Amino acid sequence: ACSNRAARLEARRSTANYLLSIGEDAEFVTKARKELAVADLPLLANLRAGAWYASPDALDGTCYFKSENGHRNHWDFSLIRLNLQVARMAAGTRGVVLVDATGNRRKTLPDSMSKAVPIWCAVLQAVISRAKEEDLGSFLHLPSCVHADEQLEIERRLSGWVAKLRAVLPEQEIEELATALHGLQLRGFWVCPHDDLGRQAEVVSELRAAGFAVVLCISASRAEAGSTSYVQGAGDDDEAWAQRVGLTPQLFWQRASELLEVARQRPREVDSLLASWADECPQ
């Protein structure tokens, strides 16, 4: 039997494994949306990795929550990417769905989802609600994988982030968001492949009924040790393989059926097929 490290290295030798892993993870995203009864909510790819896990035809847009803003001791609220379109969509439909993935085998959620998104929800909601400083912690909801010490450190920083956002967000924008939300509160919720989707569907329904505009974060990849074929977070690692063969999420989805069929039946031919496409469409 291979060690976990040897298995990962073996899986990453084949472009076909990356493609089949993405195909499998994308199927989970479709399944999760259906079983969670949120197929009617807008679906956004969190760039860059999220674009690999949903067909452009299924997407309603994109967002950009950086994992760096969720890394331990580097937590931050970004003023560069306010992602206000996410709040507007969530307000209009009482929720929104984000898709992303992580290649970190020690995690089931990327830091973009586990911490950057809930920080964003808390800070933006606090500004919209014109909350007092002593009430800021009530807006922060983190997944159970975030340790208590991290939560305390994030809570300590909320007032600074709220002040920073208040200083740059026009009053008219705040009022428009408050009107659009109409009393709903932005709140994150998280789903991974190992979760019981039936139970998670109940929680999502309860949150929406309780007056939350749920920012539902679907982490597409499962954590799997010892596999010589499955690549966790293949889309999160695209610079290691996709750029080499000239593949983008857009091109993948344009010809996904053909690519996945070749990857299943004739895996060694995948690279030459992609090379022929590159010759047809030179940069």
Side-chain angles (χ1 to χ4, degrees), residues 100-105 107-111 219-221 232-234 236:
D100 201 351
T102 179
N104 187 330
R105 67 189 185 280
K107 297 180 178 181
T108 54
L109 291 168
D111 286 349
S219 184
S221 283
Q232 178 187 348
D236 189 38

Side-chain angles (χ1 to χ4, degrees), residues 205-217:
S205 178
E206 291 166 2
L207 288 173
R208 295 179 75 187
F212 291 103
V214 177
V215 181
L216 177 60
C217 300

Side-chain angles (χ1 to χ4, degrees), residues 264-279:
R264 278 189 291 266
Q265 302 297 331
R266 305 184 303 280
R268 294 184 180 182
E269 297 179 18
V270 168
D271 283 10
S272 59
L273 175 63
L274 290 169
S276 71
W277 291 355
D279 291 340

Side-chain angles (χ1 to χ4, degrees), residues 45 49 52 171 245 251 258 264:
W52 289 99
E171 182 64 27
V245 294
L251 180 57
E258 179 183 358
R264 278 189 291 266

Side-chain angles (χ1 to χ4, degrees), residues 114-236:
S114 64
K115 284 167 281 186
V117 166
I119 287 171
W120 174 86
C121 286
V123 172
L124 186 56
Q125 188 62 58
V127 170
I128 293 169
S129 303
R130 306 181 191 281
K132 298 178 180 178
E133 183 169 348
E134 59 266 27
D135 297 328
L136 297 183
S138 66
F139 295 107
L140 182 65
H141 302 278
L142 294 160
S144 59
C145 61
V146 178
H147 294 162
D149 62 326
E150 265 196 284
Q151 176 161 345
L152 288 173
E153 290 296 329
I154 291 170
E155 285 181 358
R156 286 181 54 243
R157 291 163 170 78
L158 285 177
S159 61
W161 294 328
V162 167
K164 188 167 67 168
L165 181 59
R166 281 176 174 155
V168 300
L169 196 60
E171 182 64 27
Q172 182 179 346
E173 188 82 66
I174 296 172
E175 291 178 359
E176 288 176 355
L177 286 169
T179 299
L181 282 164
H182 197 62
L184 299 174
Q185 285 193 21
L186 297 165
R187 177 168 174 169
F189 189 69
W190 302 269
V191 173
C192 304
H194 63 72
D195 286 328
D196 179 340
L197 293 180
R199 174 56 189 147
Q200 300 297 74
E202 293 175 2
V203 179
V204 170
S205 178
E206 291 166 2
L207 288 173
R208 295 179 75 187
F212 291 103
V214 177
V215 181
L216 177 60
C217 300
I218 299 180
S219 184
S221 283
R222 67 182 186 272
E224 179 176 316
S227 175
T228 57
S229 57
Y230 178 75
V231 182
Q232 178 187 348
D236 189 38

